[in-house]
Amino acid sequence: KQEVTQIPAALSVPEGENLVLNCSFTDSAIYNLQWFRQDPGKGLTSLLLIQSSQREQTSGRLNASLDKSSGRSTLYIAASQPGDSATYLCAVRGGTGRRALTFGSGTRLQVQP
Amino acid sequence: SAVISQKPSRDICQRGTSLTIQCQVDSQVTMMFWYRQQPGQSLTLIATANQGSEATYESGFVIDKFPISRPNLTFSTLTVSNMSPEDSSIYLCSVEKWARGEDSYNEQFFGPGTRLTVL
């Protein structure tokens, strides 16, 4: 059974810092990996999707990498802003026909102005 | 992408009653999913809903407690039956869409969620 772990559980940084969020998964046979953002009491916003054949994806100040063989992904946020404060969730879609996502427990990020 | 709406956005219900949550998508999709997010927790899959077939439930979730309908390719409902305070959660609908480009892939998109409080 796929398990997804995110470290750290919470992170507080001053505005302007670059930061890295970590995600690990136990079964490397994945189809893709998605990073989401969730604001308090809200739904999920898809940030980046990395196919199993890809190594990284970039969108603006966000860069996500994937090392499938070691079961790891990182989300890099450059020049953090208070508006980046949210919970960041990593989710994997299995490669064995399971179409639903398995989620990590999230990293709660607070960017201090 | 996909635009997904859910109704209601939130509700406060009495123990023992039932609530039906609606999920509407702006385009036809094959796969729809219902997730639950309990307070302070991550998302857990309840069931997968395909049009024209019975929903497939995850371990720990049963049809009598969470009946699902999927009458067409743009709409689904989840009912939370005989509610107890332990059912207080955010319920989220998601869809899978096929993106075609240089690399074709499936991506999942989520609705805004329904925040349910059971007293």
Side-chain angles (χ1 to χ4, degrees), chain A residues 47-61:
Chain A
L47 297 173
L48 289 166
L49 180 148
I50 310 178
Q51 291 289 86
S52 62
S53 59
Q54 297 174 327
R55 297 284 292 180
E56 65 177 351
Q57 284 287 335
T58 298
S59 176
R61 294 183 292 109

Side-chain angles (χ1 to χ4, degrees), chain A residues 11-89:
Chain A
L11 183 62
S12 181
V13 300
E15 182 177 4
E17 270 205 10
N18 302 324
L19 54 100
V20 175
L21 309 182
N22 296 291
C23 171
S24 62
F25 45 94
T26 55
D27 185 350
S28 63
I30 65 170
Y31 180 77
N32 63 37
L33 182 146
Q34 278 185 262
W35 281 94
F36 293 90
R37 168 187 173 135
Q38 185 176 33
D39 293 287
K42 305 293 186 183
L44 277 64
T45 300
S46 180
L47 297 173
L48 289 166
L49 180 148
I50 310 178
Q51 291 289 86
S52 62
S53 59
Q54 297 174 327
R55 297 284 292 180
E56 65 177 351
Q57 284 287 335
T58 298
S59 176
R61 294 183 292 109
L62 305 179
N63 175 277
S65 68
L66 174 65
D67 184 342
K68 200 176 75 162
S69 61
S70 67
R72 295 181 184 179
S73 176
T74 62
L75 178 67
Y76 176 82
I77 302 176
S80 58
Q81 303 171 357
D84 295 330
S85 298
T87 296
Y88 291 81
L89 294 161

